[in-house]
Amino acid sequence: MQNLGIDVLFKGTNMMRLLGGLWVSLRISLIAVLFSILLGVPLGILMSRKSRIIRAITRLYLEIVRIMPQMVLLFIVFFGTTRVFGWNLDAEVASVIVFSFWGCAEMSDLVRGALISIPKHQYESAKALGMNSLTVFVFIILPQTIRRLLPLSINLVTRMIKTTSLVMMIGVVEVLKVGQQIIEANRTSSPNAAFGVYGTVLLLYFIGCWPISMLSKYLEKKWNNV
Amino acid sequence: MSIIELKNVSKTFDAKKSNIHALSNIDLCVEEGEIFGVIGLSGAGKSTLVRCMNLLEKPTDGEILIDGKNLLKLSNRELRLMRREIGMIFQHFNLLMQRNVLDNVCFPMEIAGVSKAEARKRAKQYLDIVGLSDKAKAYPVQLSGGQKQRVAIARTLASNPRIILCDEATSALDPQTTGTILNLLKQINKEYQITVVVITHEMRVVEEICDRVAVLDHGVLAEVGDVKEVFKAPKSNAAKALLLERKIKQLEGDVANDI
Ligand SMILES: Nc1ncnc2c1ncn2[C@@H]1O[C@H](COP(=O)(O)OP(=O)(O)OP(=O)(O)O)[C@@H](O)[C@H]1O
Ligand SMILES: [Mg+2]
């Protein structure tokens, strides 16, 4: 095992530290996902409206988020705003802000897409049965939207979890950073640690994301069969 | 008094280049208990016309009276109650895919405040009428097009309508299934005295079940009359064109059979 460099993980509390790092990654992404859903869904509903002004503004927001690398956003929020406004921003909070900003944009676009893909006759036949707009939305449109939305948004969640590896650039000690620290500390005693540790980190990401994408597969299958 | 009365109804859609006059000054009466057909070429304004009858489309001008009540003067709530008396079925059946047939029929009743037990009891009766009692537990994907349309009809019947509007209700179905759905509509019309308005581009549908027919031509009402008379002696060019088209189709069919 020596030459695979896995042994360092069993030294001291290394494995626990790595898992702690994973928890930081998951925590940031899950909180950001929560905000993305809470803010992105209403925003997406708003975007599906016909108003030109709303569409223009949201379009701009979406383009900015898409064009800007997440790393630049992180730097702006963490280093930029703390200097300019003189406040004290925790690196983890800054990460949550950036990831929510990004996730909310992506989420709203998914919601908008799902909503406008529901054909007009679905609204009309419900209205013709004497339902009011709220009932139509809640009982007819929303369930169909959620079905279309779920696989896509789960994909977004896994992308967000993976991208959290960037937050170590602003000093958050997440799973990848912990791995790096362990490798550094054992540079002389086990030079092959990079392989074992990064391999383990890979496995941890897999363990974090796999159940989520399995869930999405399961739901997709279940709903297609009904 | 006619059950449906359109007075000088016009509908204009704002389009980028020029406005589209989907309906121009339509005056039309549908009598209680009849089966009324609306035919015309694609884009003639048939769907727009029938969608005005339950105000899914708001006319730009004119009045729509159902049983003498002006739809445009109703409050939102009154309009919703009125819509329950005006059933509508579409080319797309619009069933809830995640609910079974029985629940699909129950759903609008439950929304309207009917108790669950009562809704189920009534839904079963309506499924019986449309001949689908044995499919109550099936899901929409397990049904054929004709069966789906039967569910949609049962669902509409569940709100005790006095009128049923059908917008190309048989267009997605093969000729034989079309025949059975038309018979069902006829039966409902006879047994429950429900007025039926049928929109179609198939002359055959009109010929088989309608008492009277209106011919639309580019948003203008070209001709209204008894089906037999319109078929025997069409006055408008639009009606003549539609009949000619039907003749050609028949001849083509005959030739194909001969070969
Ligand atoms: N929501 C809308 N916005 C703009 N134009 C519309 C709209 N709905 C219908 N139109 C136009 O109004 C005209 C009549 O349309 P309508 O759907 O009533 O025709 P139709 O007779 O039902 O045709 P089809 O047999 O193809 O269903 C068409 O020129 C159509 O393009
Ligand atoms: Mg139409």
Side-chain angles (χ1 to χ4, degrees), chain B residues 15 19 134 252:
Chain B
N19 290 346
D134 54 328
E252 275 173 359

Side-chain angles (χ1 to χ4, degrees), chain A residues 3 38 70 98 163 171 173 177 225:
Chain A
N3 43 13
L38 288 179
Q70 274 88 29
V98 168
T163 317
V173 185
K177 186 73 194 172
N225 282 342

